[in-house]
Amino acid sequence: MRTLWQHCHAATMTGGRYAVIEDAAIVTSAGLIEWIGTRADMPSVTTDRVVDLGGAWVTPGLIDCHTHAVFGGNRSGEFEQRLQGVSYAEIAAQGGGIASTVRATRAASEDELLGSARQRVQALMRDGVTTIEIKSGYGLDLENERKMLRVARRLGEELPVTVRSTCLAAHAMPPEYAGRADDYIDHICEQMLPALAAEGLVDAVDAFCEHLAFSPAQVERLFIKARELGLPVKLHAEQLSSLHGSSLAARYQALSADHLEFMTEEDAMAMAAAGTVAVLLPGAFYFLRETQLPPMDALRRHGVKIALASDLNPGTSPGLSLRLMLNMGCTCFRMTPEEALAGVTVHAATALGLGDSHGSLEVGKVADFIAWQIERPADLSYWLGGDLPKRVVRMGHEISN
Ligand code: NIG
Ligand code: FE
C-alpha cells in the first residue's frame, strides 16, 4: 500500500543535522520512505491513501539508545537514602545498588519481568519512541542474563517498537564471583557470551568500566571476545571517574561510549576519529545530583556525534520519558534543541548500528515518524514531559499510542 502524507513540515535530520522541509510531502510504501520533499516538487504517483497531517511537524520516530528497561523490583528506598546524603558508591559498597536489583531480577520469572518492563516500554512509546535499546546486566549468570535478553526480544515481538538487545553481563560482580573479577570476565568470554550469541539474543556487547565495576584491561578482554564473535561493542565509561574507557571503546570501533561526564579532550578526539557516538544520559546526571558536566565544547569541537538517552534503570535514572531527557539535555548540558533532537534520532540510530535504516527521514529508510501538533520543533525540548498530541507512524502504518 502506497500512502501520501501531506500538509506538514518535516525535520528530516538528514546528514546528521537538523534540516527542515517546509510544506512537505512523504510517500511511504512497503514500510519504507519512497519519496520525501516539498509538496510542490512531488512527482505524480498513484497512491492508495492520502493522509492530511493538519499542519503537524514531522520528525523521525524517537530512538532511546540506552535503557535498562528490564529489571525486577525498584530502588525508591535507596533514593530516600541518597536524599539523606549516602552516596551511590557507598550504597553499592553496602551490597545495595545494582546488587539489590540483581537479587530482585533473579527472583522474578520471565513473565513477571516481561509484565513490568512492558509498562515501562509503553510509557516511552507514548512519548514517540519507535526504537529502543534494552540491556541485560541484572542477571549476571547465564540463566538470568538469558531470561532478561529473552524478555527484550519478546517485547520487540509483541509491541510495535523495534528493540535492539545488548548483553551487559559485565555490569557488576555477581555474588558468586566476589573478589574474582578476572574469573567472572573469563566466564563471560568463555561461556555466557558465546552461548547467548549463538541463541541470537545479542545485538551488541556492553560493560561498565569504573572503579566499582570493571577495569579497562578486563573490558578489553571482553571486547576482544565480542570482536571474535562478530558483535559490536559499546561501553559505560567515565561516569564517576576518568579511566579512559571511552578511548578504549574507540580503539575497538565501539558504536558508542555512554555517560562521559569525566572524559578528557583526548578521549573526545579518539571517539571522533573512530566514529564512536557519545551517548549522554542527563537523567542519571540529574538523579545522582552530579556536578561534573560532560565536556560539550570538546565534543563539538572534535565533531563527535552526540546522542541522548533515558538510561531508564531503577538505580540512577528511573526515567520514563525520552522527551524529558531532551529538556534535561538542553537545561543541564546546554545542548540546543536541534542538537537534542539529533540526539534522539539520527545519532541514536548510529549508536545502535541502525544508521543506514533509521533515524532520519530519507528515501529508502524505514517509515518510522511522528507527526507532532506543535508550533516549532523546539517545543519537543521545551515542555517538561507530558503527552503532546501526535500521530505515530511505524513502518508506514499509523499506530495508536
Ligand atoms: O547506566 N552505570 C551503570 N549502570 C546504570 C546504573 C544501574 C543501576 O544502578 O542499577 C547506569 O547508570
Ligand atoms: Fe546505563
Side-chain angles (χ1 to χ4, degrees), residues 26-238:
I26 304 169
V27 179
T28 59
S29 158
L32 301 178
I33 297 175
E34 195 176 57
W35 189 87
I36 178 165
T38 55
R39 198 151 52 105
D41 292 339
M42 207 187 99
S44 65
V45 286
T46 331
T47 52
D48 304 297
R49 191 167 161 241
V50 178
V51 181
D52 183 324
L53 292 173
W57 271 96
V58 177
T59 69
L62 304 191
I63 299 175
D64 194 345
C65 67
H66 180 141
T67 86
H68 309 248
V70 175
F71 55 83
N74 81 42
R75 309 223 299 270
S76 59
E78 288 181 10
F79 173 57
E80 291 179 293
Q81 270 184 286
R82 282 197 304 101
L83 293 174
Q84 301 295 325
V86 189
S87 75
Y88 181 67
E90 283 163 346
I91 290 171
Q94 291 160 9
I98 294 173
S100 73
T101 299
V102 170
R103 289 189 288 275
T105 303
R106 287 181 172 185
S109 70
E110 188 174 310
D111 285 341
E112 284 165 349
L113 289 179
L114 180 72
S116 62
R118 184 192 293 115
Q119 291 180 19
R120 294 188 278 267
V121 172
Q122 283 175 325
L124 290 168
M125 291 170 67
R126 279 195 290 279
D127 237 12
V129 169
T130 51
T131 299
I132 180 176
E133 184 248 22
I134 300 177
K135 301 175 193 295
S136 66
Y138 293 120
L140 307 185
D141 61 22
L142 178 57
E143 176 194 340
N144 288 292
E145 289 288 298
R146 176 189 285 128
K147 182 171 73 179
M148 292 186 70
L149 292 166
R150 279 176 51 86
V151 170
R153 284 279 185 261
R154 284 174 68 184
L155 288 163
E157 284 156 17
E158 71 168 54
L159 295 174
V161 66
T162 300
V163 174
R164 302 294 282 176
S165 66
T166 299
C167 179
L168 178 58
H171 191 197
M173 283 299 295
E176 308 78 50
Y177 280 86
R180 295 188 294 131
D182 282 315
D183 291 350
Y184 181 51
I185 293 289
D186 285 343
H187 178 60
I188 297 174
C189 291
E190 284 157 28
Q191 311 287 327
M192 293 171 72
L193 202 51
L196 297 168
E199 291 168 38
L201 291 171
V202 184
D203 298 321
V205 176
D206 195 351
F208 187 16
C209 187
E210 195 56 66
H211 290 298
L212 53 80
F214 298 95
S215 70
Q218 289 162 341
V219 169
E220 183 157 16
R221 288 203 282 129
L222 182 70
F223 281 2
I224 290 169
K225 186 67 194 184
R227 181 179 275 179
E228 225 178 274
L229 294 168
L231 294 169
V233 297
K234 20 194 350 86
L235 191 63
H236 285 69
E238 339 300 356

Side-chain angles (χ1 to χ4, degrees), residues 4-27:
L4 166 62
W5 311 80
Q6 61 179 13
H7 193 192
C8 61
H9 306 299
T12 62
M13 314 315 288
T14 42
R17 282 177 300 102
Y18 180 73
V20 163
I21 302 173
E22 291 197 0
D23 196 7
I26 304 169
V27 179

